[in-house]
């Protein structure tokens, strides 16, 4: 948990228009993709699904035969290849049902290739004869592309819907904050938490600067047993260094300083200079960023039950470096959750944190409510479009 200072108003200002535009774009994308799919499916239905697939399949196979045998079956080349090509090519086209589209194209290619000797020009001519049948390959490719476009548009719409839900929830909270009693004694919540945060931050800093690196790494490893405490796990080679190297008895700042020494100078300070440089130096950023932040309570504080669970885990770790006084301060913060007015004060604290003067003005003027109504409306339209429905205003475009 970390102390927070961001405001809903600063984060959301202008988001109404951006969210609305994004949702409208997703609606248009979805309808356009469906329209393209309907058009290509209508073209396929007009010719007949099976007939289109047969024409496309035959076209692909015929081109494959032309490409494979052009060199070997032309001129006075390999007679066996010529016979094999004619048998496959003419047989392929003769098997076509009369209902298959582009029959004239296939018949023209078959007639051209049904001769005693074939040239490269014959192969090129056959490709030209078959070209009208390429339309049916294109139809199937376009249908596949249209299906992919619809799937992508649906994915984008679902993501946009999720973002809208989060935005609407924030806007609803903003309106709810307007009813908060801003004169409520929120300092009774803030002060105990701040007192604990300051104490634990200072004592962790002292622990980091003076304790053996092995002890600090051991604390991080222990924290892995507590999922609510969000320390980053130490890298494996850093764990091994802390357990095995005698240099791990030094504090982390000292080791970081040693890591900058030249090899000859480091020989005078470290018992295993090579291991220190290849481990500590590599993980300098990880070590430098260690702080008490995962052991601090955020402001405004979380819900009562969440804070109690978090305090239980944090207390188990504080014993490794914190004073009894700091642990007592954390218990004082936990005891706040037993107040009858804890949730009310927490709500007011959030209102103070997340509503500035401009946001309150927008709420009081009705602008915030109007923005929320627009977001709810476009969300409803997006959900309808996602499920293939359309309102009256959408009919011309779908």
């Amino acid at each position: 948990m970390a102390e927070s200072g961001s405001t809903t108003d600063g984060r959301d200002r202008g988001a109404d228009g951006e969210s609305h535009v994004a949702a409208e774009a997703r609606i248009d994308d979805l309808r356009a993709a469906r329209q393209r799919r309907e058009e290509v499916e209508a073209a396929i239905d007009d010719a007949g699904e099976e007939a289109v697939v047969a024409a496309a399949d035959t076209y692909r196979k015929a081109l494959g035969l032309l490409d494979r045998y052009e060199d070997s079956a032309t001129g006075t080349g390999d007679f066996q290849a010529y016979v094999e090509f004619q048998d496959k090519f003419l047989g392929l086209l003769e098997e076509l049902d009369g209902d298959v589209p582009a029959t004239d194209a296939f018949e023209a290619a078959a007639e051209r290739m049904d001769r005693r000797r074939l040239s490269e020009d014959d192969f090129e001519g056959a490709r030209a004869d078959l070209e009208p049948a390429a339309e049916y390959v294109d139809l199937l490719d376009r249908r596949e592309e249209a299906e992919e476009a619809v799937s992508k548009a649906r994915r984008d719409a679902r993501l946009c819907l999720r973002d809208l839900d989060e935005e609407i929830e924030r806007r609803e909270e903003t309106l709810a904050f307007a009813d908060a009693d801003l004169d409520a004694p929120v300092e009774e919540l803030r002060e105990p938490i701040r007192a604990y945060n300051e104490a634990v931050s200072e004592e962790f800093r002292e622990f980091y600067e003076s304790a053996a690196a092995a002890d600090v790494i051991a604390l991080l490893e222990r924290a892995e047993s507590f999922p609510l405490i969000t320390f980053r796990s130490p890298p494996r080679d850093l764990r091994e260094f802390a357990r095995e190297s005698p240099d791990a008895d030094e504090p982390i700042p000292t080791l970081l300083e040693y890591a900058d020494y030249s090899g000859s100078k480091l020989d005078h300070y470290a018992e295993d200079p090579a291991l220190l440089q290849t481990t500590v130096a590599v993980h300098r950023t990880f070590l430098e960023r260690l702080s008490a932040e995962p052991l601090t309570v955020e402001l405004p504080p979380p819900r009562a039950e969440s804070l109690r669970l978090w305090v239980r885990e944090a207390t188990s770790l504080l014993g490794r470096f914190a004073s009894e006084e700091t642990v007592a301060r954390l218990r004082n913060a936990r005891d706040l959750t037993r107040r009858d007015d804890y949730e009310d004060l927490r709500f007011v604290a959030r209102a103070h944190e997340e509503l500035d003067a401009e946001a309150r003005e927008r709420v009081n003027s009705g602008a915030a409510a109007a923005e929320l109504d627009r977001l709810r409306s476009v969300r409803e339209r997006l959900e309808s479009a996602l499920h293939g429905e359309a309102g009256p205003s959408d009919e011309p475009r779908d």
Side-chain angles (χ1 to χ4, degrees), residues 277-298:
Q277 286 190 320
T278 57
T279 305
V280 175
V282 166
H283 298 296
R284 172 179 293 277
T285 300
F286 174 86
L287 293 169
E288 288 179 338
R289 290 181 177 175
L290 289 176
S291 74
E293 188 272 338
L295 289 169
T296 58
V297 179
E298 64 187 356

Side-chain angles (χ1 to χ4, degrees), residues 41-55 99 101 136 139-140:
E41 285 182 341
I44 291 173
D45 289 343
D46 286 345
E49 170 85 15
E50 292 184 5
V52 168
V53 171
D99 294 333
Y136 301 100
L139 265 180
L140 295 179

Side-chain angles (χ1 to χ4, degrees), residues 75-341:
T76 57
D78 186 344
F79 181 73
Q80 181 61 37
Y82 161 80
V83 172
E84 186 176 293
F85 167 73
Q86 286 233 322
D87 181 59
K88 291 181 177 180
F89 190 81
L90 298 179
L92 173 68
L93 303 187
E94 287 171 358
E95 292 173 2
L96 283 177
D97 189 285
D99 294 333
V100 171
T103 300
D104 292 346
F106 292 121
E107 290 177 349
E111 183 177 350
R112 181 185 298 274
M113 304 309 279
D114 187 14
R115 56 187 64 184
R116 294 180 178 276
R117 180 175 294 181
L118 297 173
S119 67
E120 292 180 0
D121 289 343
D122 293 325
F123 276 76
E124 285 304 313
R127 290 188 180 94
D129 293 334
L130 292 170
E131 192 59 31
E135 171 188 349
Y136 301 100
V137 174
D138 181 60
L139 265 180
L140 295 179
D141 289 344
R142 283 165 50 203
R143 180 170 65 179
E144 184 176 348
E145 291 169 0
E147 289 286 359
E148 291 175 358
V150 169
S151 295
K152 181 181 184 302
R154 287 182 60 81
R155 286 194 302 271
D156 291 345
R158 283 193 291 266
L159 289 173
C160 186
L161 198 63
R162 183 194 65 187
D163 292 342
L164 275 176
D165 286 338
E166 293 174 356
E167 182 75 17
I168 288 170
E169 183 178 355
R170 287 197 295 268
R171 298 285 176 160
E172 290 171 341
E173 284 186 340
T174 297
L175 288 176
F177 289 149
D179 297 328
D181 178 9
L182 297 181
D183 294 326
V186 292
E187 288 304 313
E188 294 179 12
L189 238 58
R190 289 173 174 162
E191 286 307 318
I193 292 172
R194 284 174 176 160
Y196 162 72
N197 285 348
E198 290 172 4
V200 76
S201 296
E202 177 61 23
E203 291 188 354
F204 185 89
R205 184 186 63 78
E206 294 173 357
F207 174 63
Y208 174 86
E209 292 179 351
S210 61
D215 292 339
V216 178
I217 299 302
L219 172 69
L220 301 182
E221 290 183 296
R222 174 61 176 156
E224 293 175 342
S225 301
F226 302 100
L228 301 181
I229 309 300
T230 56
F231 277 113
R232 286 183 59 200
S233 296
R236 184 182 62 182
D237 53 344
L238 204 54
R239 298 170 189 256
E240 294 173 355
F241 173 83
R243 285 194 293 267
E244 300 171 7
S245 174
D247 295 316
D249 290 337
E250 296 286 354
I252 289 174
T254 301
L255 293 178
L256 291 172
E257 181 181 351
Y258 286 172
D260 288 333
Y261 289 175
S262 64
S264 58
K265 182 177 180 180
L266 187 57
D267 287 340
H268 298 292
Y269 294 91
E271 296 193 37
D272 192 343
L275 182 61
L276 189 153
Q277 286 190 320
T278 57
T279 305
V280 175
V282 166
H283 298 296
R284 172 179 293 277
T285 300
F286 174 86
L287 293 169
E288 288 179 338
R289 290 181 177 175
L290 289 176
S291 74
E293 188 272 338
L295 289 169
T296 58
V297 179
E298 64 187 356
L299 282 172
R303 295 184 181 278
E305 184 61 27
S306 298
L307 182 55
R308 292 186 197 118
L309 293 173
W310 183 87
V311 168
R312 184 184 305 167
E313 294 192 4
T315 302
S316 299
L317 291 174
L318 291 183
R320 294 194 169 225
F321 69 89
S323 66
E324 283 297 326
E325 182 180 1
T326 296
V327 175
R329 289 181 187 277
L330 179 59
R331 293 195 180 105
N332 288 340
R334 177 203 59 196
D335 291 344
L336 294 171
T337 65
R338 297 192 175 98
R339 293 179 54 142
D340 292 338
D341 61 351

